[in-house]
Amino acid sequence: YLVSSFVAKDVNIFFDELEGVNSPSKDDDSLLHHGNLTSTSDDASRLEVVGEEVPDKNKTNGLYFRDGKCRIDYILVYRKSNPQTEKREVFERNIRAEGLQMEKESSLTNSDIIFVKLHAPWEVLGKYAELMNVRMPFRRKIYYLHRRYKFMNRIEKQISRFRGWLPRKPMKLDKETLPDLEENDCYTAPFSQQRIHHFIIHNKDTFFNNATRSRIVHHILQRVKYEEGKNKIGLNRLLSNGSYEAAFPLHEGSYRSKNSIKTHGAENHRHLLYECWASWGVWYKYQPLDLVRRYFGEKIGLYFAWLGWYTGMLFPAAFIGLFVFLYGVTTLNHCQVSKEVCQATDIIMCPICDKYCPFMRLSDSCIYAKVTHLFDNGATVFFAVFMAVWATVFLEFWKRRRAVIAYDWDLIDWEEEEEEIRPQFEAKYSKKERMNPISGKPEPYQAFADKCSRLIVSASGIFFMICVVIAAVFGIVIYRVVTVSTFAAFKWALIRNNSQVATTGTAVCINFCIIMLLNVVTSETLIIFFTEQPRTESEWENSFTLKMFLFQFVNLNSSTFYIAFFLGRFTGHPGAYLRLINRWRLEECHPSGCLIDLCMQMGIIMVLKQTWNNFMELGYPLIQNWWTRRKLRQEYGTQGKTSFPQWEKDYNLQPMNAYGLFDEYLEMILQFGFTTIFVAAFPLAPLLALLNNIIEIRLDAYKFVTQWRRPLASRAKDIGIWYGILEGIGILSVITNAFVIAVTSDFIPRLVYAYKYGPCAGQGEAGQKCMVGYVNASLSVFLVSDFENRSEPTSNGSEFSGSPLKYCRYRDYRDPPHSPVPYGYTLQFWHVLAARLAFIIVFEHLVFCIKHLISYLIPDLPKDLRDRMRREKYLIQEMMYEAELERLQKERKERKKNGKSYHNEWP
């Protein structure tokens, strides 16, 4: 890539002394035309328009210059009142020096706002397309079919015969409604003006599509100087210092049409995307990814390709999770543990909090025992293994899918060009310079000591923010231990009898509010402040993404980790409770276990988070755009609004997020974490994620097509650092699910009882008949007179038997009060602990072995794609040779006709 060296040599700068000779007056007002409501209309150009009507229609559709011939490739917006006039003058003169054509128009709603319309002629497009190595189509593809065996052909014939009885692919879009995207069916090569005869050029005006034209213009604008000095260059700096208010490519007209797309066709690609992609009526259809890529660029196309692949892979996970839940429903009446809990009317449990919590019968927790069985049953371990394997299969097959997309979109051999240095990096380290080994030019240099100090400060800042999150979780813990006593003494019997559930529910809602508050207050501002100063924009983006994800992940999941692994684990026992600050007694689990608390935490957080994200993604832009339209209607009426030119309509839309696709990826990655990390405790998580993603795809599509300005089409080969984060979550999910099954659920204690202490001990069986007596064996006995003064309940339990209670039961494996070592751990406790540790080790090693085996067996590149790539590389070389040979032969024949002959001609 010679772009940087080319610009350094060829850019011409006109300064103030030449202003009176060859440049217009301030801000080039000679190009300025005031808007007229009668000169524009809402009609957009057709996908394919031929004939003499084109210029007349182009004059009125708001996508062309006033002559109706030059298409608007880019829009710059500034205010007359802005003081940065001199910088804009130099910048715009240099834009014209680069060959771009320019027109200005004042806003219809605010005369202070000026729109600068830019158009790139064919010569400029060809020149920079060659410098940027833009790949363009030059010959139709000859599809290579790989060799198939006779047995496979027979199977395919039988499958195709069976498909004849099924509906005709209802999930696929009708090909008649989609345009013929020529570049997808052609071989492509980097554009070259010397070999222009090799490329398929039907019309120079449409050879480069709108997204490519805008990308070329943006590339030029990023390399044009606005002031004398080596660092005074580029549109981004003018946007950051306020010289320009906005810069964006135009949408291709309106996304709505009075005529039906089935009868009259699509008005433009935006209208087509709305009807075939962003409309709610096509929620069950596949996405038109090629059209998305053509309109929004490869980077956004890859995001929707990944989101669609993730959603498709959630179908088997959601089905298995639903099966595990339904298995719990069908086996509920046969579960011996829940039966014993429901029938244990004579077992009196100790109070779960100090003073105000009463004694309770174990049978009162019958409903909670049944609900726990729905999620904690024999299929849970299988589902945890399945989800760990599923995460690996999802990532491995995404590699293959990405390779196919990269091949179809000509991204296999594409590499990012040398990136520009960030303005912040230049401003901070402009005093020290060293030679760039790639470009050979001096550039700002950050010393190693300064880099280390910045890294330490950055790590310290993130650690401080994580400590803030942990402090918030500590506050939630205090809230839980305080309010459980409050709810136990509540006037309403419904809340008093369900004090622990009420405590968990309110704590989860408060926790969600704190999560949202920390996200808004501390996340973006502080993380940007604590992010070190990398050299390029991509390095800064990766650093910011990693830090932001760590903070958001800890913020979202810290309370879940507390409930899963700490709640009820360190409470002590009656008569010797552990307390916070020697005051508040730590919260205990429900008599049916802590899994119900974890399920409530995950379910409420997941539903509320997804609902909030969907509102903020679509509801907030909708409200802002509605308010803008309302003000325009009040000032100009309904007819005036429809007469606004396209640049005015797009300017009134919301700009894309400052961090690009970061928010979209972050939402889905956090959801992936919820779907995999604690899935053993909440098997319905994949189903909730699937339902949300079906809506999410259409919400994002609607937002991109209708509510946002058209983003600049940019290229990318993959999803970047997010893939590494996904792999990290997959590894973490194996560890957490192993601990959830071993520590949080009662799977291991039940297994130990069945094989060692139950009726079937020593027989090698573990059925429901082997669980008889498990509930009684899992409860220890406590002498009521041993209660501490501050934890002694107000009631003496006489309501159960007519006389004060002498003993109560609690969940633990401890000796009775009259044993030689009162309340010491029993042998069964150590057997259960050993079994838990052994299960964690075996589970993790087994699952990691399966994951690595799957990763090894699934190649990153499909075999047929590898064969196609090799075959087509050979064919491209042959075709290039034949095309050059044909050109030389034609030239030889023309010379002979003209009577000219040369010696030593070839061939």
Side-chain angles (χ1 to χ4, degrees), residues 742-767:
V743 177
T744 310
S745 75
D746 289 336
F747 175 77
I748 298 300
R750 293 177 186 179
L751 212 61
V752 171
Y753 178 81
Y755 283 103
K756 184 69 177 175
Y757 296 96
C760 305
Q763 301 178 13
E765 297 182 13

Short mmCIF file of all heavy atoms in Angstrom, two decimals, residues 742-767:
data_model
loop_
_atom_site.label_atom_id
_atom_site.label_comp_id
_atom_site.label_asym_id
_atom_site.label_seq_id
_atom_site.Cartn_x
_atom_site.Cartn_y
_atom_site.Cartn_z
N ALA A 742 -21.22 -29.45 41.72
CA ALA A 742 -20.59 -30.07 42.89
C ALA A 742 -20.92 -29.35 44.18
O ALA A 742 -21.07 -29.99 45.23
CB ALA A 742 -19.08 -30.12 42.69
N VAL A 743 -21.04 -28.03 44.15
CA VAL A 743 -21.16 -27.24 45.38
C VAL A 743 -22.58 -26.73 45.60
O VAL A 743 -23.13 -26.85 46.70
CB VAL A 743 -20.17 -26.04 45.34
CG1 VAL A 743 -20.34 -25.18 46.58
CG2 VAL A 743 -18.74 -26.55 45.25
N THR A 744 -23.17 -26.15 44.54
CA THR A 744 -24.47 -25.49 44.72
C THR A 744 -25.62 -26.48 44.75
O THR A 744 -26.52 -26.38 45.59
CB THR A 744 -24.70 -24.46 43.60
OG1 THR A 744 -23.55 -23.63 43.49
CG2 THR A 744 -25.92 -23.62 43.89
N SER A 745 -25.62 -27.43 43.82
CA SER A 745 -26.72 -28.39 43.77
C SER A 745 -26.49 -29.52 44.77
O SER A 745 -25.42 -29.65 45.36
CB SER A 745 -26.85 -28.97 42.36
OG SER A 745 -25.81 -29.91 42.11
N ASP A 746 -27.52 -30.34 44.94
CA ASP A 746 -27.43 -31.49 45.85
C ASP A 746 -27.13 -32.78 45.11
O ASP A 746 -27.40 -33.88 45.63
CB ASP A 746 -28.76 -31.64 46.62
CG ASP A 746 -28.95 -30.53 47.64
OD1 ASP A 746 -27.93 -29.96 48.08
OD2 ASP A 746 -30.11 -30.23 48.00
N PHE A 747 -26.57 -32.67 43.91
CA PHE A 747 -26.32 -33.87 43.11
C PHE A 747 -25.30 -34.79 43.79
O PHE A 747 -25.52 -36.01 43.90
CB PHE A 747 -25.82 -33.45 41.72
CG PHE A 747 -25.41 -34.60 40.85
CD1 PHE A 747 -26.36 -35.38 40.22
CD2 PHE A 747 -24.07 -34.90 40.66
CE1 PHE A 747 -25.99 -36.45 39.42
CE2 PHE A 747 -23.69 -35.96 39.86
CZ PHE A 747 -24.66 -36.74 39.24
N ILE A 748 -24.20 -34.22 44.27
CA ILE A 748 -23.15 -35.05 44.89
C ILE A 748 -23.60 -35.62 46.22
O ILE A 748 -23.40 -36.83 46.49
CB ILE A 748 -21.85 -34.22 45.04
CG1 ILE A 748 -21.35 -33.78 43.66
CG2 ILE A 748 -20.79 -35.03 45.75
CD1 ILE A 748 -21.03 -34.91 42.72
N PRO A 749 -24.20 -34.84 47.15
CA PRO A 749 -24.67 -35.46 48.41
C PRO A 749 -25.66 -36.59 48.17
O PRO A 749 -25.62 -37.61 48.88
CB PRO A 749 -25.32 -34.28 49.16
CG PRO A 749 -24.62 -33.08 48.63
CD PRO A 749 -24.34 -33.39 47.20
N ARG A 750 -26.55 -36.46 47.20
CA ARG A 750 -27.50 -37.52 46.91
C ARG A 750 -26.78 -38.76 46.36
O ARG A 750 -27.13 -39.90 46.71
CB ARG A 750 -28.53 -37.03 45.90
CG ARG A 750 -29.45 -35.94 46.43
CD ARG A 750 -30.40 -35.45 45.35
NE ARG A 750 -31.18 -34.31 45.82
CZ ARG A 750 -32.08 -33.67 45.07
NH1 ARG A 750 -32.29 -34.06 43.82
NH2 ARG A 750 -32.74 -32.66 45.57
N LEU A 751 -25.78 -38.53 45.53
CA LEU A 751 -25.03 -39.65 44.96
C LEU A 751 -24.26 -40.40 46.05
O LEU A 751 -24.25 -41.65 46.07
CB LEU A 751 -24.05 -39.13 43.88
CG LEU A 751 -23.76 -40.05 42.69
CD1 LEU A 751 -25.03 -40.34 41.92
CD2 LEU A 751 -22.73 -39.38 41.77
N VAL A 752 -23.65 -39.67 46.97
CA VAL A 752 -22.91 -40.29 48.07
C VAL A 752 -23.86 -41.09 48.96
O VAL A 752 -23.56 -42.23 49.38
CB VAL A 752 -22.15 -39.23 48.88
CG1 VAL A 752 -21.57 -39.83 50.15
CG2 VAL A 752 -21.06 -38.61 48.04
N TYR A 753 -25.02 -40.53 49.23
CA TYR A 753 -26.00 -41.24 50.08
C TYR A 753 -26.47 -42.52 49.40
O TYR A 753 -26.60 -43.57 50.05
CB TYR A 753 -27.18 -40.32 50.39
CG TYR A 753 -28.25 -40.99 51.22
CD1 TYR A 753 -28.12 -41.09 52.60
CD2 TYR A 753 -29.38 -41.54 50.61
CE1 TYR A 753 -29.11 -41.72 53.37
CE2 TYR A 753 -30.37 -42.18 51.36
CZ TYR A 753 -30.22 -42.26 52.73
OH TYR A 753 -31.18 -42.89 53.48
N ALA A 754 -26.75 -42.44 48.11
CA ALA A 754 -27.29 -43.60 47.40
C ALA A 754 -26.29 -44.75 47.37
O ALA A 754 -26.67 -45.92 47.53
CB ALA A 754 -27.68 -43.20 45.98
N TYR A 755 -25.01 -44.45 47.19
CA TYR A 755 -24.01 -45.51 47.05
C TYR A 755 -23.37 -45.93 48.38
O TYR A 755 -22.80 -47.01 48.48
CB TYR A 755 -22.91 -45.07 46.08
CG TYR A 755 -23.33 -45.14 44.64
CD1 TYR A 755 -23.68 -43.98 43.94
CD2 TYR A 755 -23.39 -46.35 43.96
CE1 TYR A 755 -24.07 -44.03 42.62
CE2 TYR A 755 -23.78 -46.42 42.63
CZ TYR A 755 -24.12 -45.26 41.96
OH TYR A 755 -24.51 -45.32 40.65
N LYS A 756 -23.44 -45.04 49.41
CA LYS A 756 -22.70 -45.33 50.64
C LYS A 756 -23.57 -45.49 51.87
O LYS A 756 -23.29 -46.33 52.74
CB LYS A 756 -21.70 -44.18 50.87
CG LYS A 756 -20.78 -44.36 52.06
CD LYS A 756 -19.77 -45.48 51.85
CE LYS A 756 -18.82 -45.60 53.03
NZ LYS A 756 -17.91 -46.75 52.87
N TYR A 757 -24.66 -44.73 51.98
CA TYR A 757 -25.42 -44.70 53.23
C TYR A 757 -26.87 -45.12 53.07
O TYR A 757 -27.54 -45.35 54.07
CB TYR A 757 -25.38 -43.28 53.82
CG TYR A 757 -23.99 -42.83 54.22
CD1 TYR A 757 -23.22 -42.05 53.36
CD2 TYR A 757 -23.44 -43.20 55.44
CE1 TYR A 757 -21.94 -41.65 53.71
CE2 TYR A 757 -22.16 -42.80 55.81
CZ TYR A 757 -21.41 -42.02 54.93
OH TYR A 757 -20.16 -41.63 55.29
N GLY A 758 -27.39 -45.17 51.87
CA GLY A 758 -28.80 -45.48 51.65
C GLY A 758 -29.11 -46.96 51.72
O GLY A 758 -28.25 -47.80 52.00
N PRO A 759 -30.38 -47.29 51.42
CA PRO A 759 -30.79 -48.71 51.43
C PRO A 759 -30.02 -49.57 50.42
O PRO A 759 -29.92 -50.78 50.61
CB PRO A 759 -32.28 -48.64 51.08
CG PRO A 759 -32.70 -47.25 51.40
CD PRO A 759 -31.50 -46.39 51.16
N CYS A 760 -29.50 -48.95 49.35
CA CYS A 760 -28.79 -49.69 48.31
C CYS A 760 -27.28 -49.62 48.48
O CYS A 760 -26.54 -49.83 47.51
CB CYS A 760 -29.18 -49.17 46.93
SG CYS A 760 -30.95 -49.18 46.60
N ALA A 761 -26.80 -49.25 49.66
CA ALA A 761 -25.36 -49.09 49.87
C ALA A 761 -24.62 -50.39 49.57
O ALA A 761 -25.01 -51.46 50.05
CB ALA A 761 -25.09 -48.65 51.30
N GLY A 762 -23.58 -50.29 48.74
CA GLY A 762 -22.77 -51.45 48.38
C GLY A 762 -23.34 -52.28 47.26
O GLY A 762 -22.72 -53.26 46.84
N GLN A 763 -24.53 -51.94 46.72
CA GLN A 763 -25.15 -52.72 45.65
C GLN A 763 -24.91 -52.12 44.27
O GLN A 763 -25.30 -52.71 43.27
CB GLN A 763 -26.66 -52.83 45.90
CG GLN A 763 -27.00 -53.48 47.22
CD GLN A 763 -28.50 -53.54 47.47
OE1 GLN A 763 -29.30 -53.32 46.55
NE2 GLN A 763 -28.89 -53.85 48.72
N GLY A 764 -24.31 -50.93 44.20
CA GLY A 764 -24.03 -50.31 42.90
C GLY A 764 -25.25 -49.75 42.21
O GLY A 764 -25.26 -49.63 40.98
N GLU A 765 -26.28 -49.40 42.95
CA GLU A 765 -27.49 -48.83 42.37
C GLU A 765 -27.69 -47.42 42.92
O GLU A 765 -27.21 -47.08 44.00
CB GLU A 765 -28.71 -49.69 42.69
CG GLU A 765 -28.65 -51.10 42.10
CD GLU A 765 -29.90 -51.89 42.41
OE1 GLU A 765 -30.89 -51.26 42.86
OE2 GLU A 765 -29.90 -53.12 42.21
N ALA A 766 -28.46 -46.61 42.14
CA ALA A 766 -28.72 -45.23 42.59
C ALA A 766 -30.09 -44.76 42.13
O ALA A 766 -30.27 -43.61 41.77
CB ALA A 766 -27.63 -44.29 42.07
N GLY A 767 -31.09 -45.64 42.13
CA GLY A 767 -32.43 -45.26 41.72
C GLY A 767 -33.15 -44.50 42.82
O GLY A 767 -32.60 -44.20 43.89
#
